[in-house]
Structure formats: C-alpha cells, structure tokens
C-alpha cells in the first residue's frame, strides 16, 4: 500500500471553487478499484490551507488515478487556484497495515 499526503495553499478568493472541484475528484477517486481512502482536510486555523490524504493499494493504482478524467479535470482546474505549487509526500502506511482498515 501507498499513502499520499498533499499540502495545498489556495488563493483566498478561490477556496469555494477549490473545495467544489476537490470534492468531485475525491468522490470519484474513492470509486476506483485501487483506492482505499481519499480525505480532504481543511486547516482549522488557516482557511486556505488544505491537505489531501490518499491511500492506494499499489503504485499501479496511483498511476491509474492520474489517468482518470476526474483527476485530469481537477489538476487542470486547481492549477490557477493555488497560491503556490502543492507539496506531495508518498509513504507506506505501517499502522494500520491492513487494507480493510481504510474502507471506513
């Protein structure tokens, strides 16, 4: 399994548009066979700071996600909404380590 954490600063006047397109991407990503989790988190102190937390079964599942129409639409749309380039980390979840734990 692989986890992805993405940190995104959104322009102040673009927060609602960002949330709309990101919810669309998240809802559709969760339908992908290799996706186990896709959470959208807004910082409670900095309203324009968001984190995406994604868990996939494999590198192949991540690669597949990036080919989907919903991801392509998201990627193209958020490019103009971001205050600065997004930061991304990829890691291997070690606790919990079972796929079933992420299906809630």
């Amino acid at each position: 399994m692989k986890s992805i954490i993405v940190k995104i600063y959104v322009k102040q006047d673009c927060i609602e548009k960002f949330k709309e397109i990101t919810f669309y991407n998240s809802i559709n990503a969760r339908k992908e066979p290799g996706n186990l989790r896709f959470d959208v988190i807004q910082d409670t102190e900095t309203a324009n700071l968001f984190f995406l937390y994604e868990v996939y079964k494999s590198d192949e599942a991540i690669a597949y996600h990036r080919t989907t129409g919903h991801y392509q639409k998201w990627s193209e749309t958020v490019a103009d909404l971001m205050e600065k380039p997004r930061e991304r980390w990829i890691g291997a979840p070690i606790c919990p380590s079972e796929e079933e734990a992420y299906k809630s």
Side-chain angles (χ1 to χ4, degrees):
M1 283 189 302
K2 293 288 178 92
S3 292
I4 301 174
I5 300 171
V6 183
K7 180 179 180 182
I8 304 170
Y9 282 94
V10 178
K11 295 174 186 172
Q12 289 288 345
D13 61 337
C14 298
I15 291 173
E16 290 308 313
K17 186 172 183 178
F18 174 81
K19 287 164 69 171
E20 181 181 316
I21 190 64
T22 303
F23 293 174
Y24 163 80
N25 185 38
S26 173
I27 289 165
N28 285 289
R30 288 193 302 258
K31 296 175 186 174
E32 297 168 20
N35 179 276
L36 299 172
R37 186 161 205 100
F38 196 121
D39 297 340
V40 179
I41 303 159
Q42 185 175 19
D43 190 89
T44 57
E45 295 181 10
T46 307
N48 70 320
L49 173 58
F50 292 84
F51 297 90
L52 307 182
Y53 176 64
E54 308 167 49
V55 180
Y56 294 90
K57 291 182 180 182
S58 64
D59 289 330
E60 292 78 17
I62 295 170
Y64 172 78
H65 171 66
R66 292 184 184 142
T67 69
T68 63
H70 52 269
Y71 173 80
Q72 295 295 324
K73 182 176 181 179
W74 177 84
S75 183
E76 291 169 7
T77 304
V78 299
D80 293 332
L81 307 179
M82 293 187 294
E83 197 171 86
K84 58 184 178 180
R86 63 187 184 258
E87 298 176 48
R88 183 180 73 169
W89 298 271
I90 298 179
I94 57 173
C95 184
S97 60
E98 306 83 27
E99 287 182 16
E100 292 76 30
Y102 292 97
K103 295 184 180 179
S104 60

